Every structure is written in structure tokens, then in C-alpha cells.
Amino acid sequence: MITVKDLKKSFGKHEVLCGINETIEKGEKVVIIGPSGSGKSTFLRCLNLLEQPTSGEIWFEGKLINKPKSDIDKIRQKMGMVFQQFNLFPHLTVLENITLAPIKLKLQTKNDAIANAKRLLDRVGLAEKANSYPRQLSGGQQQRIAIVRSLAMNPDVMLFDEPTSALDPEMVGEVLAVMKELADDGMTMVVVTHEMGFAREVATRVLFIDEGLILEEAPPQEFFANPKHPRLRDFLSKVL
Amino acid sequence: MNFVLLAQASGFDRFLEKLYDNLIANGRWKYYLEGLGVTLQITILAALLGIIIGLFVAIVKVSAMNTNNIFLKIGDKICNIYLNVFRGTPMFVQLLMFSLVFFPTGQKLWVAVLAFGMNSGAYVSETFRAGILAVDKGQSEAGRSLGLNTFSTYRYIILPQAIKNILPPLLNEFIALLKETAIVSAVGIADLTKAYEKISARTFEFFIPLLTIAIIYLILVTIMTAIVRAVERRLRQSDNR
């Protein structure tokens, strides 16, 4: 579904990604871990071109997307993104947050979009918050809404950029539960996170990125039980 | 006793007489009224022109920040020159330049509108730019990642939030603009300040006509300030809902 070939990204003189090759198949749940500043978020943000790669190729559903002529807006409609800081639109209600893009992009009629939004809100247990404003909600609720907002576009893949890092500890669980449910439904997911428990339980594959390179990748059992790269061993000994 | 009262009465009478002379006699109130009309006309038209120029310059400058597009880069340079010139020289000098050098035969009022509009646009553009940049970067990223294009992201996500940052300083800019238009009397436009000149030249009285126009300016500014306050209050309320 997503193929990345020799992806490099520099900010000024600083090379953040130093040549990443990776293929993500439909239905996979790929969890990316690594120390801060390792380039894992940048890698994720390159996938939907929020960061423009310096060189390399990114293929999505059989199309090369990082070329001048590709219609990135169209491609992004199929790639949901959830941010660390939620990034809900503060001037719109929860319902308007969710329905804005489907309505303005003419993907759904207003009534269909609202019905769809309410169904999704119900699924994450926030149906009664439809007319609230983001400010009135807790961090965990906001992040669940942000997930629903992405889901309302019926994406083929969901990208999560440290979705629980900005949350109070007691709210992490509710967001991870929604993500787990999404995984069980068969959504293709790429998740940058520090939640090792989530990686163990949900991932089909775990990647370890450090200094702009994928140093190790394996199914979670093997990844955690039998890490091969010394840097990964060192990293795991610190976080586990 | 009687004498003192009489003297006071006659002093007061003289004051009333002066008031009458400077405000009413020979239809002089019309000067104030017509002057007020011209002042408001210049202020409003210049403000509109300032908003159009300001929004355009702000969007060029913000867009030029994250692009390699050569036209935007050149546009950005031109905008910088414009900003430097109009913010770096006195308004009065600009007005004289426009009226006496660039458009000596033009309709005076429209030349003044152009001069004030271009000056105001330079300040307004910075207000717009700061207001747009103050909206968190995550907002545009969220909009773009949902598949909205740049225009829709501005239209539905960035500008509705930026307007809250923009409106109060924008209205303050127009209060300053209103007061600054007083200098157009120097290039022979019959604005509110000119009304004072005309009347005092006839009545040889400075205080009353000056006081009159000062009060009129003060009332206008007080009204505009009240509007700014009301707008700020409403914006704050919408923040807390």
C-alpha cells in the first residue's frame, strides 16, 4: 500500500532521514519507536507530504506521490492523520470539526456527513458532545474526536503521530482503546508512539528508528524478546 | 452687588454671542457639517483601500515564507520596499508628495484617499500578517491533512481564527487614521479641520471653533473606541464557550 524508497530529508544542513526503505501492506499495523529526535515523526509526516522529502520516492496505492504533478489534496483524503496536539478547530463545534472536510470537498451531502459523524461519535462514546466546542473537552476526548474526524473521510490508512504523548496519564487508556478497536476492524495503521504496551499488543510489526535509519524491524514478540541491534537493546533497557 | 451681576451677565452674554458667531451665524454650522462629511469620507474610503492592499500584501508575504515560487519571492521583495517606504516616511510628507508631485491636477479628495489608503495598507498588512501567523501551525496542517487545499484551509480554518487577532488592532488603526486625516486641510481639502480655519479667519476667534472640532473628533473616536471594546468583549466570550 505504501512503499518508501531511499527517503532522505534534511532541514538545512541537518540530515534527519538518511535513506529509509520500507513497505507497508494493507491491513498492517506498523508501530514506530525510537528516541526523540531520531526522525520517526519526520518519517511519518513525509508519508502524507506534510514534510517534503529532500530525495527518494513515496508510493501510495500504486502512485508516486512526491512528484510535482501529483494531486496531493486527493491523496491526503485517503490518508488520515492524528496529531500529538489533536489540532481540532477551536472555532467549530465537534460535529462541524468532523463534517467540515467531507462537506466542503463534496464527498458527502450535509445530511449524510452529519449522520456519519454521529454514528462515529457514538462508536467512541462521545455522541452527547456533538455540539460542544473542543475547549470544553478533556484531552482524551479531544483526541478521540480527532480520530473520528480523520475516520469521517473513510481513509485507507491512518497515520498517528504520538497520539497519546500530550495526554494526562489517566486519559491515555481511552485513546489507545479506540485505536485498538480500529486495528481490530482491519484499518491499516502507522503509529509513532512511546506506548510499548500498545506496540506489543496491537502491532503486526515494530520498527526501531534511530539517527534517521531503520535499525531493526520485527514482529513484536521477537522485537521485544530478542532485540539484535545494540542500540535497540540499549533503548529498550531504558524504556521498559 | 447689582453691578457684579450685570458684569457677569454681560460676560456670559458675550460668550453666547461668540458661540453664536462661530457656530451658527451666516450658516457657519454648515462648514462643520460639510467638513465632518469630508473627513468621514476620506477615512472610510482610505480604510477600505487599506484593507484591500493590506490583505493582499499579507497573503503574499505569508505565502512567500514557505515556498520557492519565484513570483512570490519577487512579490515579497516588492512588498518589503512598499512597507519600508510608507512606514519609514511621515504621512504628511507622503500626502504632499501625492498632492503636489504625483497628482498635482488630480481630484484633491481622491488623491488624499489614495495617499491615506496606501499608508494605511502598509500598517494594516502587518496586522493581518501577525494575525494569520498567530494561528497555530497545527491548524493548517490538520486542514491540509484532511485533503483541503490551501484556499479552503485559509477560508474555513485560518481566517476565521485570525480575524479574532486582527479585528481589535485593525479598528485601532482606523481610529489613528481618522485623526491623522486632519492634515488634509494643509493641501486645501475642506475637511473638519479646514472648517475651523475658515471660520476663525472670519471671526478672529480661535478657541471656540478649535474646541468645536476637537469635541467632534473626540465624539467620533469615543464611538469607535466603544465599538472596539464591544467587539473585543464578544470575541472573548466566544473564546470561553
Side-chain angles (χ1 to χ4, degrees), chain B residues 127 163-174 228 232:
Chain B
T127 302
I163 196 79
K164 292 186 183 184
N165 312 323
I166 291 169
L167 216 45
L170 185 69
L171 291 172
N172 281 323
E173 162 64 23
F174 294 149
V228 177
E232 278 177 339

Side-chain angles (χ1 to χ4, degrees), chain B residues 40-207:
Chain B
L40 287 177
Q41 210 177 334
I42 294 175
T43 304
I44 291 167
L45 291 173
L48 288 177
L49 184 60
I51 287 176
I52 294 167
I53 296 174
L55 187 61
F56 177 77
V57 170
I59 287 178
V60 167
K61 284 188 69 66
V62 172
S63 310
M65 278 170 50
N66 320 307
T67 182
N68 296 318
N69 184 314
I70 186 76
F71 294 108
L72 278 173
K73 289 284 179 204
I74 293 171
D76 185 53
K77 290 273 178 294
I78 295 171
C79 289
N80 282 341
I81 295 170
Y82 160 71
L83 292 179
N84 274 331
V85 169
F86 278 86
R87 292 193 304 169
T89 56
M91 180 64 236
F92 191 34
V93 174
Q94 292 165 26
L95 178 68
L96 292 174
M97 200 66 110
F98 273 73
S99 307
L100 305 177
V101 182
F102 299 152
F103 306 103
T105 57
Q107 269 255 322
K108 280 179 183 172
L109 185 113
W110 288 105
V111 174
V113 166
L114 184 65
F116 275 96
M118 291 196 68
N119 179 272
S120 170
Y123 288 95
V124 165
S125 76
E126 291 296 275
T127 302
F128 277 123
R129 197 171 70 93
I132 290 169
L133 289 179
V135 176
D136 185 61
K137 196 164 172 275
Q139 292 292 308
S140 73
E141 287 184 350
R144 295 308 303 275
S145 75
L146 285 168
L148 296 169
N149 61 23
T150 314
F151 177 81
S152 297
T153 304
Y154 263 97
R155 163 86 180 70
Y156 299 114
I157 297 165
I158 308 295
L159 288 181
Q161 295 181 64
I163 196 79
K164 292 186 183 184
N165 312 323
I166 291 169
L167 216 45
L170 185 69
L171 291 172
N172 281 323
E173 162 64 23
F174 294 149
I175 290 176
L177 174 66
L178 170 80
K179 290 182 289 182
E180 214 162 8
T181 60
I183 61 175
V184 298
S185 59
V187 294
I189 294 174
D191 77 326
L192 186 55
T193 303
K194 194 76 181 175
Y196 139 77
E197 280 179 34
K198 284 182 188 164
I199 290 165
S200 70
R202 293 285 172 82
T203 61
F204 306 110
E205 166 71 33
F206 299 111
F207 178 57

Side-chain angles (χ1 to χ4, degrees), chain A residues 45 48 73 76 79 81 83 87-91 104-105 133 135-136 149 153, chain B residues 136-139 141-149 156-157 160-161 239 241:
Chain A
R45 289 162 57 83
N48 70 349
D73 296 328
R76 282 181 181 142
M79 300 175 118
M81 178 109 178
F83 300 87
N87 294 343
L88 293 179
F89 308 132
H91 61 299
K104 297 301 174 196
L105 293 168
Y133 283 86
R135 237 176 281 271
Q136 301 166 322
R149 180 174 68 180
M153 296 293 293
Chain B
D136 185 61
K137 196 164 172 275
Q139 292 292 308
E141 287 184 350
R144 295 308 303 275
S145 75
L146 285 168
L148 296 169
N149 61 23
Y156 299 114
I157 297 165
Q161 295 181 64
D239 274 349
R241 69 191 168 189

Side-chain angles (χ1 to χ4, degrees), chain B residues 1-13:
Chain B
M1 184 73 188
N2 248 343
F3 180 75
V4 174
L5 266 179
L6 198 69
Q8 277 177 346
S10 70
F12 187 63
D13 278 347

Side-chain angles (χ1 to χ4, degrees), chain A residues 69-85:
Chain A
K69 271 189 195 159
S70 77
D71 184 355
I72 187 59
D73 296 328
K74 204 89 188 166
I75 293 158
R76 282 181 181 142
Q77 292 174 20
K78 289 286 148 205
M79 300 175 118
M81 178 109 178
V82 175
F83 300 87
Q84 184 176 349
Q85 301 294 340

Side-chain angles (χ1 to χ4, degrees), chain A residues 15-62:
Chain A
E15 191 168 55
V16 182
L17 299 178
C18 318
I20 293 212
N21 291 287
E22 183 58 45
T23 299
I24 294 162
E25 303 292 346
K26 189 169 162 44
E28 267 197 303
K29 295 100 184 63
V30 176
V31 171
I32 303 171
I33 65 170
S36 26
S38 60
K40 54 195 192 309
S41 278
T42 305
F43 170 65
L44 193 75
R45 289 162 57 83
C46 279
L47 294 182
N48 70 349
L49 299 192
L50 280 184
E51 301 292 351
Q52 194 68 38
T54 309
S55 69
E57 293 179 358
I58 299 167
W59 294 75
F60 177 63
E61 297 182 335

